[in-house]
Amino acid sequence: MKTRLLIATALIALVTSGCGQKDTSAPTAAAPAGPRTVEITAGDTMKYSLTAIEAKPGEQITVILTNIGTQPMEVMGHNWILLKAGSDVEAFDKAASAAKATNFFPAALADQVLAHIDLLGPRKSGEVTFTAPTTPGDYPFLCSFPAHFQVGMKGVLTVK
Ligand SMILES: [Cu+2]
């Protein structure tokens, strides 16, 4: 008899606290409030699987780039570099091609970069989490491995 009463009390306590917690406590696994994931692949054909990404102003985004190719990184590496709106992508790419020592990331132009994933060899993945700009517009991205941008390894993140 005593035990049954204890169980009943415990149950009531559980139900009551369960209801109250919803509004006040931190979000749990039930509500995935993390960044949105955008997956991009690129292989030996020198193409991104995704060339247009849409984002809401200030949205948290994780871009995951996977190199699905087989060629060594020295001849067919891929990266992902997101630039500010209005950047001179041609000029950036040119500077990047000359920056072999830093895996084709032109340190002198880092102020034009909003987010980037380092150069990846075959079967490697890299990711970056960033906050989309709050200003609507077109933000170009590219692979800065020599000649890849020239053959079309590029795209646009549109904030709207
Ligand atoms: Cu590439």
Side-chain angles (χ1 to χ4, degrees), residues 77-78 143 145 148 153:
H78 300 300
C143 172
F145 193 92
H148 288 196
M153 218 174 155

Side-chain angles (χ1 to χ4, degrees), residues 36-102:
R36 178 164 61 93
T37 300
V38 174
E39 293 191 56
I40 307 173
T41 59
D44 297 341
T45 53
M46 291 175 280
K47 295 265 179 284
Y48 283 133
S49 61
L50 200 62
T51 56
I53 304 171
E54 283 193 7
K56 296 183 182 72
E59 185 180 7
Q60 284 280 107
I61 297 174
T62 297
V63 169
I64 302 174
L65 174 67
T66 301
N67 181 347
I68 57 172
T70 56
Q71 301 284 315
M73 187 170 86
E74 296 70 35
V75 296
M76 187 59 73
H78 300 300
N79 61 11
W80 187 85
I81 302 178
L82 177 69
L83 300 178
K84 288 180 178 171
S87 294
D88 185 342
V89 191
E90 295 270 353
F92 185 93
D93 182 59
K94 202 171 175 190
S97 295
K100 190 169 192 294
T102 50

